[in-house]
Amino acid sequence: MKNLRYTELLVPIDRYISRLTPKAKLLLGMLEGGLFLVLFTSVLLYTH
């Protein structure tokens, strides 16, 4: 049985990202990295 919930979500996102320019992909990667750092730092400070 195929889980269509993820397929319906991931396929359009993948198509959108593949059409982005290299500069936009770089900015998107930097944004994701920044969000990850904020999340990781908040977890570290909360558990400390």
Side-chain angles (χ1 to χ4, degrees):
M1 188 169 147
K2 195 174 188 180
N3 192 348
L4 294 177
R5 189 178 303 166
Y6 295 111
T7 304
E8 290 175 1
L9 183 67
L10 291 178
V11 170
I13 291 173
D14 187 46
R15 286 184 187 150
Y16 177 73
I17 291 174
S18 67
R19 290 186 204 144
L20 290 176
T21 62
K23 189 174 183 178
K25 286 181 185 178
L26 177 66
L27 290 173
L28 183 64
M30 289 174 60
L31 179 66
E32 286 181 353
L35 289 173
F36 175 76
L37 280 175
V38 168
L39 177 66
F40 186 69
T41 304
S42 65
V43 168
L44 281 179
L45 293 175
Y46 182 74
T47 56
H48 191 322

